[in-house]
Amino acid sequence: MKQVQYETFPGAKVTDDMLAEAANLFSENYGIWGEQSLTPGKRIRLGKRRLRDQYLPDHAATSYVRVTVDGTLAGNAFICRWRHDDRSICWITQLVVHRNYRGRGLASGLLGSLLMHPDDVYGIMSSHPFACLAAARSLGMGIEKVPLNFIKDNAEAILKASPVPYIGEAKLRGTLFEGSSSTGLVCGVDTGFFVDHKEPLEALEIVRETRQWPLGNLLDGHEYLLVLQSKHRFRSATSTS
Ligand SMILES: CC(C)(COP(=O)(O)OP(=O)(O)OC[C@H]1O[C@@H](n2cnc3c(N)ncnc32)[C@H](O)[C@@H]1OP(=O)(O)O)[C@@H](O)C(=O)NCCC(=O)NCCS
């Protein structure tokens, strides 16, 4: 029987050794650069210093969640929190699970462990449909039930309030925001992040075989966007109305 352990650390408590392990996990498992990048075909790599600068900046409220299986780092997530319009926003800035441990619910478990600290709104930008499924699942909803109207009405202001530059600068794209679009994207962001989409597109095909996928086509340099209201917020909002 394998021992699976989830642990959460405030950003300031993340040591260099932990970051070195996280950098290794990312560099070996995240993905490769796409055709339109400067180094197509090369693994996307991150060192521990860039991880700290980009994902755990001193000026922001950050945390790190990891899952180990029998003591081995199998997956992790970086989180940034901020407030907007009297709501606490919890944003998943990075999520990666080791190849050998995928498809066992670890991404969903990592995101589920965020609920220990209740926030009002959860968000993620990701090109990987399985990451979107995991985010929706961790909030107790199927991807088919994601309330697109909430995203349409709130995404711009929430992103703009972010202390993380690449989130605030992401351009909202898709029919949800632009009215009409010939690309088939419904709800996403143009981040200019040219990761190779072979793996996410294969995942998209798998998802579309059995489920209704509400976010549309995946475009180069773009990621899907999910901004989800937590049930805790929904309950308190409805009980006071
Ligand atoms: C995306 C990623 C984190 C998913 O990790 P994972 O631990 O394999 O995901 P889980 O096992 O928790 O599954 C998440 C969802 O995807 C589905 N899924 C996962 N693997 C699947 C497969 N092979 N076939 C069909 N569905 C699959 C699960 O059923 C689950 O959906 P559900 O809860 O609605 O049923 C992992 O593939 C990864 O690290 N990819 C590379 C990095 C990346 O793209 N990260 C996201 C950017 S932020």
Side-chain angles (χ1 to χ4, degrees), residues 5-225:
Q5 188 180 19
Y6 292 92
E7 294 167 288
T8 302
F9 305 85
K13 298 264 185 230
V14 178
T15 65
D16 278 357
D17 284 351
M18 288 160 70
L19 275 186
E21 262 199 295
N24 201 36
L25 178 75
F26 181 95
S27 300
E28 298 298 323
N29 296 281
Y30 186 82
I32 57 174
W33 287 110
E35 282 304 320
Q36 293 176 58
S37 71
L38 294 174
T39 51
K42 289 239 155 64
R43 281 223 151 269
I44 303 176
R45 296 191 167 275
L46 270 180
K48 63 181 178 183
R49 182 170 303 169
R50 274 193 53 209
L51 265 185
R52 194 178 292 283
D53 290 349
Q54 288 185 7
Y55 296 95
L56 302 175
D58 290 339
H59 64 272
T62 57
S63 47
Y64 173 65
V65 192
R66 72 179 180 192
V67 55
T68 52
V69 177
D70 288 341
T72 300
L73 182 65
N76 63 23
F78 286 81
I79 309 303
C80 181
R81 289 188 165 87
W82 65 91
R83 293 199 70 81
H84 170 69
D85 205 12
D86 205 27
R87 291 185 287 200
S88 63
I89 316 295
C90 173
W91 203 270
I92 300 127
T93 50
Q94 194 206 100
L95 172 68
V96 61
V97 170
H98 192 293
R99 285 181 187 286
N100 296 348
Y101 295 93
R102 289 188 187 166
R104 304 180 188 184
L106 295 187
S108 307
L110 282 165
L111 302 188
S113 65
L114 299 178
L115 302 179
M116 303 286 282
H117 172 307
D119 290 281
D120 300 315
V121 174
Y122 293 81
I124 187 168
M125 304 190 303
S126 174
S127 56
H128 208 306
F130 294 164
C132 299
L133 293 186
R137 167 75 60 202
S138 66
L139 288 177
M141 62 183 93
I143 194 76
E144 304 83 355
K145 296 263 167 65
V146 161
L148 292 177
N149 277 339
F150 180 79
I151 305 180
K152 183 179 178 183
D153 294 343
N154 293 278
E156 184 170 8
I158 288 175
L159 265 63
K160 287 266 178 303
S162 162
V164 180
Y166 87 89
I167 298 175
E169 288 158 14
K171 301 176 199 83
L172 298 174
R173 292 288 181 263
T175 49
L176 191 65
F177 308 108
E178 299 174 294
S180 68
S181 161
S182 56
T183 62
L185 175 65
V186 174
C187 178
V189 276
D190 177 354
T191 49
F193 180 39
F194 288 100
V195 59
D196 182 90
H197 278 168
K198 183 172 179 288
E199 187 185 308
L201 286 171
E202 284 169 3
L204 185 58
E205 217 174 294
I206 293 172
V207 174
R208 278 177 156 161
E209 272 168 18
T210 54
R211 304 169 73 157
Q212 236 188 324
W213 174 253
L215 307 180
N217 294 340
L218 179 61
L219 313 180
D220 284 340
H222 289 59
E223 297 171 70
Y224 292 120
L225 172 71

